[in-house]
Amino acid sequence: MSILFLLIPLSLTLLGVAIWAFFWAVDKGQFDDLSGPAYSILYDDDVKPAKKPSPGQDQPTVKTHALEKTEVSDTKDSKQP
C-alpha cells in the first residue's frame, strides 16, 4: 500500500512530461508535414554530381532524377533556362 504513495506521483509526473513533450513538438512544427518523409525514401541521394567540363571542352551532360530514367543530352543542343 505504501508503494502507491510513490507510484501515483511518479506516474502523474511522467504524464505531465509526456504532455509537455507533445505540445513542444507541435509548437516546433514536428507534425506539419506528414507525407514528406514518406516520399523522401524514393529520392536517390547516392547519385554523384556530374563533373564540370573544363573550359573549351564539349562533353555531354548527364541529367538524372530519382523517379525518371537517365537522360543524356549534348551541351550544345541543350537550352539553359
Side-chain angles (χ1 to χ4, degrees):
M1 180 71 182
S2 64
I3 193 69
L4 289 178
F5 293 122
L6 176 68
L7 289 179
I8 291 175
L10 186 63
S11 65
L12 292 175
T13 303
L14 186 60
L15 178 65
V17 169
I19 290 173
W20 172 82
F22 174 74
F23 283 110
W24 176 83
V26 169
D27 188 43
K28 295 294 182 180
Q30 296 293 318
F31 302 111
D32 286 348
D33 184 17
L34 296 178
S35 63
Y39 291 111
S40 68
I41 196 168
L42 299 175
Y43 299 123
D44 188 16
D45 294 336
D46 296 337
V47 176
K48 294 181 181 178
K51 292 182 180 179
K52 294 182 181 179
S54 300
Q57 292 182 348
D58 291 330
Q59 296 179 355
T61 305
V62 177
K63 298 178 182 178
T64 59
H65 189 272
L67 301 176
E68 297 177 0
K69 294 181 181 179
T70 303
E71 177 184 325
V72 178
S73 64
D74 191 56
T75 55
K76 291 181 181 178
D77 296 332
S78 65
K79 295 180 180 179
Q80 300 286 331

